[in-house]
Structure formats: structure tokens, C-alpha cells
Amino acid sequence: MAKIKLMSHLVAGFPSDELALCAARALVAGGADILEIQLPFSDPSADGPAIQTACTEVLSRGYRTADGLAFIKKLHAEFPAVTIYLMSYGSLVYTPGVEAFCARAAEAGVSGMIIPDLPFDHDEGLTAACRANGMVNIPVAAPGMAPDRLAQLAGAGFPFIYAALRAGITGSDTIVDGQTLSFLQAVGAGGSKVYGGFGISTGTQARALASSVEAIVAGSVFVRTIAAHRDNPQELSAAVTAKARELSGTD
């Protein structure tokens, strides 16, 4: 089977700067095409327990946005061919000013922004600021969207849309069924490329999804794997690489 395009999610600074870098290297070694780097946030409303716990732990060290951007800059320097997206929440972007934040992100090597709590049609200027800095804004589509609103998003001309495969929070398993595939078809109806994620943790799920999306997205499974092996960098690297290979179909 052909390789599956994989977007993998990491919380910047978790569980330490060194181990986060170790995990990123393992993801790339395992076939990750895109690194989605989350800037830790105090109230990550869409994230499940694994990512919430990771964010809380990193923030307790006094971790700041500047630290997260420095981490991204280091990753971009080491892996210039790997696409990096920044994921966070609106207040982190809005507080310093959307234009200023986007300029800093682009300078660090970010190609796109995923800010799930900024609606696509009331984004505080995020789409325009991304465009001005050579990045893309990647809005999030959820299954609970009203059909007319989903059609409006699909037809809005975004290059990419992140499709959350079910309502609720990340981390629990998602069943990829006919309803899921119909939702993905609706998200991509306007020509946007679709990233599909939320609860993807196995190669079986990835294979079921692969032909319907531009890339599969996996997050909590990697955060849990990192947390489980945090006391042994070699084990952490091996486990993250193995899971990335399973999900990208390169194992």
C-alpha cells in the first residue's frame, strides 16, 4: 500500500525541550510529513486529557509563546523540507496582535495556522495576516456544523480545512464509517484539501481514512506515547517512530 500522508501533533516543550525535540525527530523518522506544533494553552477546549495534561505541565515551568516559537525555529532549521503548522487558541494570537503574531510565526518557519476557536468568518483578521506573511489559515470543520454553514466554509476558498471527525474532545477512538466519509466529502466539496483527525491512533483507522483526505492527523496517541516513555529517551524515540510508521503505512 502507498504511504499515507501523516500530520502529527506535538505539544511544544513536552515533557521537556530536549524530549520534545527527540519526539519530533522520531516522528520525522517514522514518516510524518507535517508537524503540527501546539503552543501550550491554559484552557485547551478541544483537547482531551492527554494534551490538556501536557499543556498544564509545560505551562507550570513558565513556558511562554517565545519558547514555543524558538522550538519551532529549531525544528524548521533541522527539517527545512517538513511542513510545520502552529496550533493554538485565539487569545494567544490576539493578545500580542494578530499581525505581529503571524509575522513572528512565519519568521520561525511556520507554514500554516490552526486556531480552532476562531470561526472561519470571524477570524479577527487571521486569514489576511497569514496570507500577508506567506502562510495559510486552516479553519476547523466539525460534524455538528449546520449543513448551510458547512457548505459556506467549504466554498470559502481555503486551501486546506481541518476536519474534526467527531464532536467533543480529542483522544478517544473514532470509528471511521459511512457518516464520517460523507462528512469529509462535504468538507472538501469546494475544492479545499482536507486534513482528517480526532481520535486516530491505529493503522487500521489510518487506512480507512487515507483515500478520503489529504493527510490523516494524529495527536493524542503521540502525546500518550511520549508520556509513557519520558524516562527513557531511547524508548521514547523507538516507540514514537514505530507508531508514526504504523500510521503512515511505512512499517
Side-chain angles (χ1 to χ4, degrees):
M1 180 174 169
K3 182 188 179 301
I4 297 167
K5 195 167 183 180
L6 171 63
M7 183 199 300
S8 55
H9 183 107
L10 271 185
V11 175
F14 178 76
S16 68
D17 294 345
E18 295 76 16
L19 289 174
L21 186 58
C22 173
R25 289 171 176 153
L27 287 167
V28 174
D33 304 276
I34 302 166
L35 295 175
E36 180 193 12
I37 307 299
Q38 177 165 356
L39 296 188
F41 187 65
S42 56
D43 183 25
S45 55
D47 296 313
I51 293 176
Q52 284 191 21
T53 300
C55 285
T56 300
E57 182 180 324
V58 175
L59 289 171
S60 73
R61 303 204 312 260
Y63 202 86
R64 302 179 67 81
T65 295
D67 300 311
L69 292 175
F71 175 66
I72 288 171
K73 190 167 189 172
K74 187 179 288 189
L75 284 183
H76 181 61
E78 186 166 339
F79 303 109
V82 175
T83 298
I84 298 176
Y85 293 149
L86 184 155
M87 182 265 164
S88 198
Y89 289 87
S91 66
L92 276 188
V93 178
Y94 186 74
T95 302
V98 176
E99 279 280 357
F101 187 94
C102 286
R104 289 173 67 198
E107 193 275 329
V110 173
S111 297
M113 305 275 282
I114 302 170
I115 312 294
D117 59 343
L118 283 182
F120 73 94
D121 49 354
H122 292 90
D123 68 3
E124 306 293 346
L126 180 62
T127 299
C130 282
R131 193 179 295 124
N133 286 281
M135 301 187 297
V136 290
N137 177 29
I138 303 169
V140 177
M145 275 183 157
D148 58 340
R149 183 163 176 77
L150 181 56
Q152 188 184 356
L153 169 56
F158 288 98
F160 303 98
I161 299 174
Y162 184 130
L165 299 179
R166 55 175 171 70
I169 57 174
T170 62
S172 352
D173 275 347
T174 294
I175 297 168
V176 179
D177 56 15
Q179 197 171 351
T180 308
L181 301 180
S182 295
F183 168 63
L184 289 169
Q185 197 169 15
V187 175
S192 302
K193 292 180 178 180
V194 180
Y195 298 129
F198 251 54
I200 301 302
S201 61
T202 68
T204 301
Q205 290 172 306
R207 288 189 294 274
L209 201 55
S211 62
S212 300
V213 295
E214 170 70 9
I216 67 147
V217 187
S220 293
V221 64
F222 288 120
V223 177
R224 289 195 299 267
T225 302
I226 291 163
H229 299 282
R230 62 189 297 162
D231 295 330
N232 188 318
Q234 288 76 27
E235 283 184 8
L236 186 154
S237 181
V240 169
T241 298
K243 180 53 73 172
R245 284 182 175 150
E246 177 191 342
L247 292 169
S248 64
T250 58
D251 59 357

